[in-house]
Amino acid sequence: MNSNSSTCNNVQDKKADRLKKLRDLHIKRNEARVNNHQEVIEEDKLMKLPSNWEARQRKADWLLNDDKLKEEAKEKGQDYERLKLLNMTAMEADAIDRKKKRKNPDPGFSDYEQATARQYNRMISNMKVDMNSYNRQRDKLGKAFYAEANTYLHDKVKDSKEGIDRMVDDLEKQIAKRNKFSRRRTHNDEADIDYINERNMKFNAKLERYYGEHTTQIKQNLERGTAI
């Protein structure tokens, strides 16, 4: 009887041990499934973000930290710009110097996207960021502050009167500057007509200004019919 009882106990212990292992495996499998699902969601979320989202977020965080350090230095009566120079490495100083030298370069005609980006950077270079308003809006919007492809902000963000006035003022300056340089050019009757409208004429003239010296021979061969 004792032998049989001992055997039954061993069988039950082994069975209980197997059931425990199965439960542990089942729990681990569920945890792995949940983790994989979360990682897929996060990866999909990152894929939908703009290509420069991480750089924009780093810049925003740097601006916040820079303003915080500036306020602390002001409270202590210290010169923040001097403190930054004292704590700056030679490599950082060299990088800043190179950046200043190539600020707003003119690489010539490239495409409308790069021209628009240069105009945007030029327009915001003198703008002062209101960090108090920035922080309030970030706290109010939460995760939606860093907008994704499917983020809905239509009824969540309202432009301030100061911001609208600033935009109108800037547009008026752009219009005045554009009118200043958009004078009518004298038409040359003897020039070749290689355009379909005035905008296309200006585009072709810009191409000729930057690439004409490199394409002269090709154009001549095409006109003679000797191009390969």
Side-chain angles (χ1 to χ4, degrees):
M1 290 292 292
N2 290 336
S3 177
N4 291 335
S5 176
S6 178
T7 302
C8 290
N9 289 335
N10 290 334
V11 171
Q12 290 177 354
D13 291 341
K14 289 180 180 179
K15 185 177 180 181
D17 186 53
R18 284 198 300 270
L19 289 174
K20 183 177 181 301
K21 289 181 179 179
L22 286 173
R23 282 196 300 270
D24 292 341
L25 287 173
H26 184 68
I27 292 171
K28 289 181 179 179
R29 186 178 65 179
N30 287 339
E31 290 178 350
R33 185 185 297 117
V34 171
N35 291 335
N36 287 338
H37 181 65
Q38 290 177 347
E39 289 179 2
V40 169
I41 292 175
E42 288 298 322
E43 185 175 355
D44 182 65
K45 180 179 176 182
L46 291 175
M47 291 291 291
K48 292 178 180 177
L49 291 173
S51 58
N52 63 339
W53 178 81
E54 291 184 358
R56 286 164 54 189
Q57 192 172 23
R58 285 197 302 270
K59 185 175 181 180
D61 292 338
W62 181 86
L63 286 171
L64 288 173
N65 185 58
D66 188 64
D67 280 353
K68 181 180 177 182
L69 294 175
K70 190 178 295 183
E71 288 296 326
E72 291 178 354
K74 186 177 180 180
E75 291 175 359
K76 296 177 181 178
Q78 298 173 328
D79 186 350
Y80 179 62
E81 297 301 326
R82 181 179 174 81
L83 288 175
K84 278 206 306 187
L85 292 174
L86 289 174
N87 295 322
M88 187 180 298
T89 64
M91 292 180 64
E92 290 173 338
D94 187 51
I96 292 174
D97 186 59
R98 287 199 306 271
K99 187 175 180 180
K100 286 181 178 179
K101 288 181 179 179
R102 67 170 184 265
K103 187 177 181 181
N104 195 26
D106 187 1
F109 176 78
S110 51
D111 55 42
Y112 288 112
E113 182 181 0
Q114 292 187 20
T116 303
R118 288 186 59 209
Q119 182 187 23
Y120 171 78
N121 291 328
R122 184 170 62 249
M123 289 167 59
I124 66 172
S125 60
N126 296 323
M127 289 182 63
K128 176 65 177 176
V129 180
D130 185 353
M131 297 309 301
N132 292 327
S133 175
Y134 176 91
N135 292 331
R136 286 196 302 270
Q137 193 174 60
R138 185 182 61 175
D139 295 338
K140 177 183 177 182
L141 297 177
K143 291 183 178 180
F145 183 76
Y146 299 102
E148 305 173 8
N150 299 319
T151 303
Y152 183 77
L153 295 172
H154 181 68
D155 58 347
K156 296 180 180 179
V157 179
K158 184 177 180 181
D159 295 321
S160 64
K161 184 179 182 303
E162 293 77 11
I164 295 174
D165 292 341
R166 197 162 52 241
M167 181 192 69
V168 172
D169 183 58
D170 184 70
L171 287 174
E172 290 176 348
K173 288 180 180 179
Q174 289 186 53
I175 292 172
K177 186 175 181 180
R178 195 178 300 120
N179 291 335
K180 182 179 179 181
F181 291 99
S182 61
R183 62 186 182 277
R184 188 80 178 178
R185 263 64 174 183
T186 304
H187 179 68
N188 184 4
D189 293 329
E190 297 181 358
D192 294 333
I193 298 177
D194 59 353
Y195 52 87
I196 57 175
N197 52 39
E198 187 173 353
R199 183 174 181 179
N200 182 234
M201 178 183 67
K202 294 178 181 178
F203 180 81
N204 290 344
K206 188 176 289 187
L207 287 176
E208 179 66 24
R209 187 159 60 248
Y210 288 107
Y211 302 113
E213 61 178 324
H214 307 293
T215 59
T216 302
Q217 186 176 358
I218 297 174
K219 288 172 66 176
Q220 291 174 353
N221 290 339
L222 288 172
E223 290 172 358
R224 290 195 299 265
T226 58
I228 298 176

